[in-house]
């Protein structure tokens, strides 16, 4: 019994250290998959707010605030996964300019995050939600126009 327990603990500790190694040093393809996954989740939630703003979905304050909080929480995450070497390793749609014109990319990121930081407060009221979804939408589109490729490469 003791032996089994010991083996179990050892397995847990080893599994933890392997995970730790991944978290500390993700491979480029993992970074690419991570940023795409998070953008995807941001997109799904932001689109739900967009549907409310367009009147295609009824306004429900609790749902809007919860969804806005999620978008705020997730918004910074993809931008930690554009480090050196993550311009290749898997198919993706990030323009090479992200790595060659980092200042401009950071500017687009900061603009987006500044608008997103107002989202959960705005979500408490339909009119301000509509306005803020519009402001954020412009920053998504602006960055995609400049930095997202039409086709994956
Ligand atoms: C500062 C730049 C920037 C901003 C702001 C930005 N994006 Fe993106 N987005 C990108 C880039 C770059 C990619 C391509 C990622 C890749 O494939 O490497 C992308 C990809 C995506 C994808 C595709 C993910 C997939 O499945 O591959 C979605 C969906 C998306 N963005 C939605 C949004 C939405 C919605 C917003 C605004 C709420 C937003 N993005 C704001 C740069 C941005």
């Amino acid at each position: 019994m003791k032996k089994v327990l010991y083996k179990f603990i050892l397995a847990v500790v080893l599994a933890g250290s392997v995970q730790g190694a991944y978290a500390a040093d993700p491979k480029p393809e993992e970074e690419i998959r991570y940023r795409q996954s998070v953008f995807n989740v941001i997109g799904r939630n932001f689109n739900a707010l967009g549907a409310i703003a367009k009147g295609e979905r009824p306004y429900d304050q609790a749902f809007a605030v919860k969804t806005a909080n999620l978008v705020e929480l997730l918004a910074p995450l993809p931008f930690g996964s554009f480090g050196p070497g993550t311009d290749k390793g898997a198919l993706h749609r990030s323009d090479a300019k992200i790595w060659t014109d980092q200042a401009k990319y950071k500017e687009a990121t900061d603009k987006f995050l500044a608008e997103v930081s107002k989202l959960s407060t705005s979500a408490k009221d339909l009119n301000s939600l509509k306005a803020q979804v519009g402001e954020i939408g412009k920053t998504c589109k602006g960055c995609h126009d400049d930095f997202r490729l039409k086709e994956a490469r």
Side-chain angles (χ1 to χ4, degrees), residues 31-32 35-44 46-47 71 78-79 81-82 86 91-95 98-99 104-113 116 136-137 139-144 147-149 152:
E31 289 286 59
I32 291 167
R35 70 189 183 224
Q36 291 171 336
S37 310
V38 188
F39 273 131
N40 199 285
V41 180
I42 292 171
R44 169 80 68 100
F46 187 69
N47 285 344
V71 172
F79 304 103
S81 293
F82 286 97
T86 61
L91 276 180
H92 68 78
R93 289 167 66 194
S94 295
D95 195 293
I98 290 172
W99 292 273
K104 197 173 167 219
Y105 190 62
K106 186 173 185 305
E107 206 178 289
T109 304
D110 289 348
K111 221 185 207 175
F112 165 67
L113 294 177
V116 167
I136 295 168
T139 67
C140 308
K141 186 178 182 303
C143 185
H144 290 165
F147 293 105
R148 190 172 71 167
L149 302 170

Side-chain angles (χ1 to χ4, degrees), residues 4-20:
V4 171
L5 187 66
Y6 174 72
K7 272 192 181 158
F8 174 74
I9 290 170
L10 188 69
V12 169
V13 168
L14 284 178
S17 64
V18 167
Q19 258 183 358

Side-chain angles (χ1 to χ4, degrees), residues 110-149:
D110 289 348
K111 221 185 207 175
F112 165 67
L113 294 177
E115 292 303 338
V116 167
S117 73
K118 303 173 196 161
L119 186 58
S120 52
T121 308
S122 311
K124 290 176 189 158
D125 159 80
L126 179 56
N127 281 328
S128 41
L129 176 67
K130 277 185 188 168
Q132 201 51 32
V133 163
E135 289 307 312
I136 295 168
K138 280 187 228 161
T139 67
C140 308
K141 186 178 182 303
C143 185
H144 290 165
D145 286 350
D146 289 344
F147 293 105
R148 190 172 71 167
L149 302 170

Side-chain angles (χ1 to χ4, degrees), residues 22 70 83 87:
Y22 270 115
L70 257 178
D87 55 333

